[in-house]
Amino acid sequence: MRRVIVQEWVSLDGVVQAPGSPNEDKSGGFKHGGWHLPYFDDMSRTWVVQNLTEAGGYLLGRRTYENFAGHWPNASPEEQVIAQPLNTKPKFVASTTLKDLLPWQNSTLLKGDVAAAVSALKQKDGGSLLVIGSPKLLQTLIDHDLVDEFRMMIDPLVVGGGKRIFTNDGALRPLRLVESRVTTTGAILATYAPAKR
């Protein structure tokens, strides 16, 4: 059975919006795009590459898919360590607006109910499915208890508002710490799994 693993870059106040670029996602008036980049170091770069290469495929929301599809197929030689797994491994995309034929190689549109589609994917053989970014998709997966592990890079920064993966729904979701390391920039690489209730 496949596992669903989440890799997120998150601020100390839980924001995941636009970590990589000033123009990545300005929705809701977000003004702090690119907040995450100063916190990368060799340890965290190795962690990102390891997560990407160990995955059997990726689960992406529409916005993340479009951002990735616009960049990674044409990535520079220096970016190939990240581009190669992203370009070659299967990508499953949650969207109500994209068409059936997705242009980025090895991309499949999830049809019907997203939670049911991901639940069916988990029953198939294959490596783990890595969720990157995609906060709306991730909220759906969390609501349906479909996430097996959260791999978070928690930056020592408060951005004061923006998109989060955990909604303000009042649900209690205990987690257990599986592993943690502190980077040279003060960020924490933490892996959590749902705790038994």
Side-chain angles (χ1 to χ4, degrees), residues 3-8 58-61 92-94 110 113-122 129-150 164-167 169 173 194 197:
R3 299 169 69 228
V4 170
I5 297 174
V6 172
Q7 175 188 289
E8 288 288 342
Y58 310 102
L59 288 170
L60 305 172
F92 301 96
V93 184
L110 295 175
D113 179 74
V114 170
V118 172
S119 184
L121 281 173
K122 286 185 73 167
L129 297 170
L130 187 67
V131 184
I132 308 168
S134 311
K136 187 174 179 183
L137 166 62
L138 190 45
Q139 288 171 356
T140 299
L141 300 179
I142 291 168
D143 287 347
H144 289 86
D145 294 322
L146 291 170
V147 176
D148 298 292
E149 195 170 271
F150 295 90
R164 292 173 164 82
I165 59 171
F166 296 105
T167 60
D169 63 1
R173 294 183 175 93
R197 294 184 201 185

Side-chain angles (χ1 to χ4, degrees), residues 15-28:
V15 174
V16 297
Q17 185 171 351
S21 164
N23 297 316
E24 185 176 344
D25 179 2
K26 294 183 176 184
S27 63

Side-chain angles (χ1 to χ4, degrees), residues 66-86:
E66 289 177 336
N67 285 340
F68 282 15
H71 178 77
W72 293 113
N74 305 305
S76 69
E78 297 79 24
E79 296 174 307
Q80 288 305 309
V81 68
I82 293 174
Q84 195 277 334
L86 286 171

Side-chain angles (χ1 to χ4, degrees), residues 2-133:
R2 284 176 150 174
R3 299 169 69 228
V4 170
I5 297 174
V6 172
Q7 175 188 289
E8 288 288 342
W9 302 331
V10 62
S11 68
L12 197 57
D13 57 340
V15 174
V16 297
Q17 185 171 351
S21 164
N23 297 316
E24 185 176 344
D25 179 2
K26 294 183 176 184
S27 63
F30 191 72
K31 298 176 183 173
H32 303 297
W35 53 267
H36 171 70
L37 296 180
Y39 297 99
F40 266 130
D41 68 355
D42 288 342
M43 180 191 296
S44 57
R45 279 189 282 274
T46 299
W47 176 81
V48 168
V49 171
Q50 183 178 354
N51 287 334
L52 290 173
T53 55
E54 287 178 354
Y58 310 102
L59 288 170
L60 305 172
R62 178 194 56 83
R63 186 184 300 267
T64 301
Y65 171 81
E66 289 177 336
N67 285 340
F68 282 15
H71 178 77
W72 293 113
N74 305 305
S76 69
E78 297 79 24
E79 296 174 307
Q80 288 305 309
V81 68
I82 293 174
Q84 195 277 334
L86 286 171
N87 287 328
T88 58
K89 294 186 180 192
K91 292 161 283 288
F92 301 96
V93 184
S95 173
T96 57
T97 57
L98 293 175
K99 304 288 184 220
D100 284 343
L101 295 175
L102 300 177
W104 192 13
Q105 67 183 9
N106 300 319
S107 296
T108 302
L109 188 64
L110 295 175
K111 298 185 185 215
D113 179 74
V114 170
V118 172
S119 184
L121 281 173
K122 286 185 73 167
Q123 301 305 314
K124 295 183 178 181
D125 290 334
S128 297
L129 297 170
L130 187 67
V131 184
I132 308 168

